[in-house]
Amino acid sequence: MSGYFITFEGGEGAGKTSILHSLEKKLKHLGYDVITTREPGGIDIAEKIRSIILNTEHTAMDGRTEALLYAAARRQHLVEKVLPALEQGKIILCDRFIDSSLAYQGYARGLGIDEVFAINQFAIQDYMPDLTLFFDIEPKKGLARIAANKDRERNRLDLENIDFHEKVYQAYKMLIDRFPERIHVIDADQTMEKVAEDSLTLITQYLSNKK
Ligand code: TMP
């Protein structure tokens, strides 16, 4: 497949969503054929699954149910949106993918990174991202950013305590060690402009090395 699948990862309040949209504009300006999308969601069926998973009323949801729903949304999003775009040679900027499940469900929920990887393998059939940017900010600082942003939607995972978010952060650090070629760290504890600039440099260098 001729396109590139680039995923954005990080804890709450890392700024990845804003950066993703700013990079979309910058990359288009440079002449790249770019689309943006998100997980869970990005297409109708997966957005519906998203609203079930993240509904703040669904406090009874079991951890494995949650992991399976993320994997189901991922499967549908992959076949309906990501793979066709890759075939058309597009660059896909995707807000979260499998690493989120490994960090949140696998490690922070305690289901096991390898176990969650296995159910995701059924969903993705070896289609891993070409490049992943991890937006690195201490959980306390990320959560403080969210608290200050009144416009952001509050979801069920925001109801988790700081220990949960610390575990998510630790898990991402483990994933960086496990996939050093794919996952690159961006210092997210800087101004948005600087974070966007660092991300753009990383992506354009990656793409020009592939030419
Ligand atoms: P968002 O805040 O980036 O839109 O993501 C929604 C929430 O879903 C966020 O708290 C992270 C969580 N999540 C998982 O727990 N597992 C996953 O596989 C994905 C994609 C997201």
Side-chain angles (χ1 to χ4, degrees), residues 27 41 51 63 71 76 85 87 91 94 106 109 120 124 136-137 139 149 164 189:
L27 287 167
S51 64
Q76 189 64 29
E87 261 160 29
I91 294 165
C94 184
R109 284 264 187 259
N120 273 276
I124 66 173
D136 190 351
I137 189 162
N149 180 358
F164 179 86
D189 191 9

Side-chain angles (χ1 to χ4, degrees), residues 37-54 68-81:
T37 188
R38 71 167 178 180
E39 279 209 353
I43 44 135
D44 189 39
I45 294 172
E47 288 291 338
K48 284 183 176 137
I49 299 174
R50 178 188 178 97
S51 64
I52 295 171
I53 305 174
L54 296 179
L68 289 164
L69 286 173
Y70 278 117
R74 177 159 303 131
R75 170 71 189 171
Q76 189 64 29
H77 178 242
L78 182 77
V79 294
E80 206 179 312
K81 190 163 182 183

Side-chain angles (χ1 to χ4, degrees), residues 52-176:
I52 295 171
I53 305 174
L54 296 179
N55 189 328
T56 48
E57 286 172 12
H58 293 172
T59 49
M61 192 178 289
D62 172 73
R64 286 176 185 240
T65 307
E66 183 183 277
L68 289 164
L69 286 173
Y70 278 117
R74 177 159 303 131
R75 170 71 189 171
Q76 189 64 29
H77 178 242
L78 182 77
V79 294
E80 206 179 312
K81 190 163 182 183
V82 177
L83 296 182
L86 281 176
E87 261 160 29
Q88 289 163 18
K90 292 183 193 296
I91 294 165
I92 300 144
L93 304 182
C94 184
D95 197 345
R96 299 192 181 280
F97 191 64
I98 187 171
D99 299 304
S100 287
S101 283
L102 302 179
Y104 284 77
Q105 283 68 50
Y107 193 70
R109 284 264 187 259
L111 298 179
I113 290 182
D114 291 335
E115 285 77 357
V116 173
F117 199 92
I119 62 148
N120 273 276
Q121 196 45 35
F122 178 73
I124 66 173
Q125 297 179 292
D126 287 331
Y127 286 108
M128 287 293 279
D130 295 299
L131 175 72
T132 299
L133 276 60
F134 170 66
F135 291 87
D136 190 351
I137 189 162
E138 279 174 32
K140 264 190 210 135
K141 287 189 183 171
L143 293 172
R145 279 186 183 171
I146 290 179
N149 180 358
K150 300 279 177 272
D151 295 335
R152 185 181 174 279
E153 65 163 17
R154 295 286 183 277
N155 69 48
R156 196 169 50 81
L157 278 90
D158 293 337
L159 307 177
E160 294 294 337
N161 61 25
I162 182 75
D163 291 350
F164 179 86
H165 296 288
E166 292 283 358
K167 279 193 191 150
V168 168
Y169 187 68
Q170 286 166 17
Y172 275 122
K173 298 276 159 152
M174 291 180 212
L175 294 172
I176 293 162

